[in-house]
Amino acid sequence: MEKTTPIIAPSLLAANFLQLEQEVNMINRSEAAWLHLDVMDGRFVPNISFGLPVIAQVSKICKKVCDVHLMIEEPEKYAEAFAKAGAQVLSVHIEACRHLHRNIQQIKALGMKAGVAVNPHTPVNQLEDIIRDIDVVLLMSVNPGFGGQHYIEHTYTKIRQVKEMITASGSVALIEIDGGVTLQNAAAIVAAGADILVAGSTVFGSKDPVATISALRHAVTAPAAK
Ligand code: DX5
Ligand code: ZN
């Protein structure tokens, strides 16, 4: 079987916020190509994380792609501010956007790559009329709002469905999987068609995060991958 090497995007949500500079420098030294930044507003999701001032500081020292995941209502109000703060990829939730196509055009006009995030309960066929316009499909493999949850197995089916849709439509979108990614399931997720793996607690909860990022990137496909 052909071996695919995914983009690893450590999620800063699981980092030690008292040592943010060291944590970002660790990412810089690692094989991670992206840094995943989770923004929560306490409305779209039942939690509040960090926002613009933190991302503006982090992006100054981060040498990797700043991948911002907006778990917020009315993301169109803040897209420009996130561009100024250094976001290079900006993902908005399909469930939070009444005018998704307009939101995507806005993100691209601001010079960022545009992603659409999809909650576990949302059917991926809702992406059919936007798939050719976007750069990233961010499939949630947990319910958004918290790190450290278990991967929802049905995500494998959704990855395959999105992959088929991308191939059939000629879209260039990459598939990003967010939530519950571990050293045990990384290879199967990539084998199902994922291009980008977000990992928070697996990376920052490990003894040697740089080695864990490398291990996630080179995880071997399990023979009985789902
Ligand atoms: C959840 C966030 C995730 C989270 C992943 O709402 O979108 O990015 O940080 O954390 P882990 O990898 O611990 O499941
Ligand atoms: Zn996320």
Side-chain angles (χ1 to χ4, degrees):
M1 185 184 272
E2 128 194 18
K3 183 149 174 13
T4 327
T5 312
I7 288 172
I8 306 300
S11 168
L12 202 69
L13 190 64
N16 180 346
F17 292 162
L18 292 177
Q19 300 179 13
L20 266 193
E21 188 171 5
Q22 287 100 305
E23 301 281 51
V24 176
N25 285 336
M26 179 278 289
I27 303 290
N28 285 342
R29 288 196 309 274
S30 78
E31 287 181 45
W34 289 16
L35 174 62
H36 189 81
L37 299 151
D38 287 305
V39 178
M40 305 176 186
D41 65 354
R43 291 177 64 213
F44 180 71
V45 286
N47 199 6
I48 297 174
S49 57
F50 50 79
L52 289 159
V54 171
I55 292 177
Q57 297 286 329
V58 165
S59 70
K60 274 189 205 152
I61 59 165
C62 182
K63 298 191 175 110
K64 309 302 175 106
V65 171
C66 285
D67 170 37
V68 176
H69 175 192
L70 293 184
M71 285 162 272
I72 67 173
E73 305 276 4
E74 301 181 299
E76 66 279 1
K77 286 191 181 168
Y78 305 97
E80 190 175 351
F82 280 103
K84 285 193 180 133
Q88 291 162 285
V89 182
L90 194 67
S91 293
V92 293
H93 266 265
I94 192 168
E95 303 86 3
C97 295
R98 194 171 290 170
H99 298 286
L100 183 63
H101 187 271
R102 181 184 287 153
N103 301 150
I104 295 303
Q105 301 310 316
Q106 177 199 26
I107 292 168
K108 288 165 130 182
L110 288 163
M112 297 178 284
K113 300 261 186 217
V116 174
V118 178
N119 276 340
H121 76 276
T122 302
V124 293
N125 62 21
Q126 289 188 18
L127 294 166
E128 261 166 28
D129 291 320
I130 199 77
I131 194 75
R132 277 173 301 274
D133 300 301
I134 62 181
D135 302 294
V136 174
V137 174
L138 177 49
L139 282 182
M140 292 309 302
S141 38
V142 296
N143 283 296
F146 304 91
Q149 304 179 78
H150 288 297
Y151 180 87
I152 297 170
E153 297 285 313
H154 179 62
T155 313
Y156 289 118
T157 306
K158 294 177 81 171
I159 298 171
R160 287 193 209 96
Q161 289 171 339
V162 174
K163 189 81 186 174
E164 269 173 33
M165 192 189 293
I166 286 171
T167 308
S169 64
S171 161
V172 295
L174 298 175
I175 301 176
E176 180 172 15
I177 302 305
D178 188 5
V181 173
T182 64
L183 288 168
Q184 286 69 44
N185 62 20
I189 295 170
V190 173
D195 304 292
I196 306 157
L197 302 179
V198 175
S201 36
T202 293
V203 168
F204 289 97
S206 73
K207 267 202 176 139
D208 185 346
V210 170
T212 302
I213 289 167
S214 180
L216 281 169
R217 183 157 179 248
H218 302 288
V220 179
T221 310
K226 282 185 196 164

